[in-house]
């Protein structure tokens, strides 16, 4: 999913090369890559938790506690990254709008 988003961002930047701030686009791109990395890690953790659960082995079930705690922490990271991304995007949009439509007075 993030790969499609990255392609759309790159397509947008190529279409409107004079539109926006390249630093903002770089920050947004970096944020999406960070989110994708955490989501990929979560996918692996979930697979491991499922395998451990299916094994019904006591040691594997104990390992699941730490794996699930890491998943919970990662979910918080994703929420934080999306929150930062939203804030950065909103600020950039407002700055762009202000630059295009300065207040007269």
């Amino acid at each position: 999913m993030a790969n499609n988003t990255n392609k759309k961002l790159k397509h947008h930047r190529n279409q409107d090369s004079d539109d926006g701030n390249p630093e903002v686009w770089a920050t947004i791109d970096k944020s999406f890559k960070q989110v994708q990395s955490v989501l990929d890690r979560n996918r692996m953790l979930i697979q491991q938790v499922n395998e451990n659960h299916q094994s019904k082995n006591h040691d594997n079930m104990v390992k699941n506690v730490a794996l699930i705690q890491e998943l919970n922490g990662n979910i918080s990271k994703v929420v934080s990254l999306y929150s930062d991304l939203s804030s950065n995007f909103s600020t950039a949009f407002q700055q762009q709008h202000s630059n295009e439509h300065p207040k007269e007075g």
Side-chain angles (χ1 to χ4, degrees), residues 9 23-33 85 88-89:
L9 288 174
E23 290 177 22
V24 171
W25 288 113
T27 300
I28 290 171
D29 191 48
K30 179 182 175 188
S31 294
F32 276 119
K33 287 178 181 176
L85 180 64
N88 290 340
F89 186 79

Side-chain angles (χ1 to χ4, degrees), residues 23-87:
E23 290 177 22
V24 171
W25 288 113
T27 300
I28 290 171
D29 191 48
K30 179 182 175 188
S31 294
F32 276 119
K33 287 178 181 176
Q34 288 174 322
V35 166
Q36 187 60 51
S37 174
V38 175
L39 293 176
D40 289 343
R41 173 74 179 154
N42 281 359
R43 182 181 302 112
M44 190 278 307
L45 289 171
I46 291 167
Q47 289 172 344
Q48 187 63 53
V49 166
N50 285 335
E51 289 172 15
N52 288 349
H53 183 74
Q54 289 173 355
S55 76
K56 301 198 187 300
N57 177 296
H58 175 75
D59 291 338
N60 288 345
M61 300 295 262
V62 170
K63 290 176 186 176
N64 275 357
V65 173
L67 295 174
I68 291 169
Q69 288 172 339
E70 184 178 346
L71 271 167
N72 285 335
N74 287 350
I75 290 168
S76 294
K77 283 182 195 175
V78 169
V79 168
S80 177
L81 287 166
Y82 274 129
S83 176
D84 292 346
L85 180 64
S86 175
S87 178

